[in-house]
């Protein structure tokens, strides 16, 4: 199947998951995760109106942003090192992976320099996996509060990377816990904080994530096929 066929198949599943959850399709943004994939594959999707793309690496995001049309919304979804922040603050529409106050401070500093506002999500390690980045659920509210005080940053919500599982149902509690955390923090009416975005769910489990309230799902393999990491 072509990339466009794959995208349409994923889009169909997103639509059905929204219907099952009693949600409008417009409530969910499907991010096509194009990491390690060539420009040509991204360009195939543009005639379908696809404009939200996700990248894991700063270098790849900036190179693609430079090469492609300017109405594309680039989402920085990978772990972000502080020394790379300056390259993406004015290129990413949202940074999904803020996992420390030091990183938030660096984003704020660079955003002020670039005279831009940066939308961020706090990355939460809901499942407590040692191999994953993110703050623990118990530390999340403190980080939200501290990040929200920084200039030129807007805290838009939360993100998580759920465990790799064979059965997506196993991740339902992970998504539900992130949703509950988001509702809890949102209810505290913290200045400069929206809890409108829940970035959760990937190729293996995005349908369950949508049923549990995801507003942004990050689908790579399901759209672009398996990655050849030898090339990345």
């Amino acid at each position: 199947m072509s990339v466009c066929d794959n995208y349409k198949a994923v889009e169909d599943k997103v639509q059905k998951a929204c219907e099952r959850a009693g949600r409008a399709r417009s409530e969910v943004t499907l991010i096509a995760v194009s990491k390690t994939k060539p420009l040509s594959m991204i360009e195939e999707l543009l005639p379908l109106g696809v404009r939200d793309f996700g990248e894991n690496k700063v270098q790849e995001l900036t190179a693609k942003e430079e090469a492609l049309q300017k109405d594309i919304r680039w989402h920085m979804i990978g772990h972000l090192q502080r020394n790379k922040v300056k390259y993406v603050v004015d290129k990413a529409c949202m940074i999904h992976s803020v996992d420390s106050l030091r990183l938030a401070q660096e984003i704020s500093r660079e955003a002020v320099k670039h005279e831009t506002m940066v939308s961020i999500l706090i990355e939460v390690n809901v499942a407590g996996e040692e191999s994953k980045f993110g703050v623990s659920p118990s530390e999340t509210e403190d980080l939200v509060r501290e990040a929200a005080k920084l200039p030129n940053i807007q805290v838009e919500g939360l993100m998580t990377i759920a465990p790799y599982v064979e059965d997506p149902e196993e991740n339902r509690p992970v998504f539900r816990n992130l949703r509950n955390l988001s509702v809890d923090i949102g209810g505290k009416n913290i200045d400069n904080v929206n809890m409108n975005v829940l970035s959760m769910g990937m190729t293996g489990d995005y349908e369950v994530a949508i049923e549990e309230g995801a507003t942004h799902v990050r689908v790579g393999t399901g759209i672009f096929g398996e990655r050849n990491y030898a090339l990345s």
Side-chain angles (χ1 to χ4, degrees), residues 19-232:
E19 286 167 10
R20 285 195 298 277
R23 301 176 67 194
R25 172 63 190 89
S26 57
E27 289 177 37
V28 180
T29 299
L30 171 55
I31 300 170
V33 179
S34 46
K35 65 179 182 184
T36 78
K37 296 301 180 183
L39 293 173
S40 58
M41 290 180 93
I42 295 173
E43 287 169 329
E44 280 182 64
L45 290 176
L46 297 179
L48 295 182
V50 182
R51 291 296 180 273
D52 287 279
F53 291 89
E55 288 291 337
N56 269 46
K57 294 192 171 156
V58 168
Q59 208 174 341
E60 218 177 327
L61 186 151
T62 54
K64 287 173 177 173
E65 191 271 343
E66 205 166 286
L68 291 164
Q69 60 196 60
K70 294 305 172 206
D71 65 342
I72 291 175
R73 291 179 292 274
W74 295 101
H75 297 257
M76 179 66 203
I77 60 175
H79 181 62
L80 181 56
Q81 293 167 300
R82 294 196 306 281
N83 63 348
K84 302 276 181 70
V85 167
K86 56 182 178 257
Y87 303 116
V88 289
V89 285
D90 58 345
K91 295 183 175 65
C93 71
M94 190 179 283
I95 296 174
H96 290 233
S97 47
V98 177
D99 59 357
S100 70
L101 183 56
R102 288 174 73 190
L103 176 57
Q105 288 166 335
E106 188 61 30
I107 292 168
S108 171
R109 266 195 295 275
E110 290 295 336
V112 170
K113 269 189 216 170
H114 285 81
E115 298 182 345
T116 187
M117 280 296 293
V118 181
S119 295
I120 68 165
L121 304 179
I122 302 301
E123 181 172 357
V124 187
N125 188 348
V126 178
E129 289 185 284
E130 285 182 17
S131 61
K132 297 267 172 69
F133 293 102
V135 293
S136 70
S138 61
E139 298 166 320
T140 302
E141 186 183 327
D142 284 346
L143 179 52
V144 166
R145 286 182 181 276
E146 291 304 312
K149 294 174 188 170
L150 299 168
N152 292 51
I153 274 184
Q154 176 69 52
V155 181
E156 297 286 0
L158 307 177
M159 178 269 237
T160 198
I161 299 172
Y164 178 78
V165 290
E166 291 294 326
D167 177 6
E169 283 297 327
E170 288 178 36
N171 279 336
R172 193 177 289 278
V174 172
F175 300 139
R176 189 166 292 169
N177 287 343
L178 192 73
R179 168 92 196 274
N180 290 342
L181 185 60
S182 152
V183 169
D184 184 42
I185 294 171
K188 295 184 177 172
N189 297 320
I190 304 163
D191 281 352
N192 196 31
V193 172
N194 297 318
M195 281 287 134
N196 297 336
V197 176
L198 269 184
S199 172
M200 58 188 194
M202 292 158 61
T203 293
D205 54 19
Y206 64 89
E207 294 169 82
V208 171
I210 290 168
E211 290 168 7
E212 292 300 330
T215 65
H216 289 62
V217 292
R218 311 178 303 268
V219 180
T221 306
I223 294 170
F224 293 104
E226 294 295 336
R227 290 185 180 83
N228 181 349
Y229 282 102
L231 299 175
S232 64

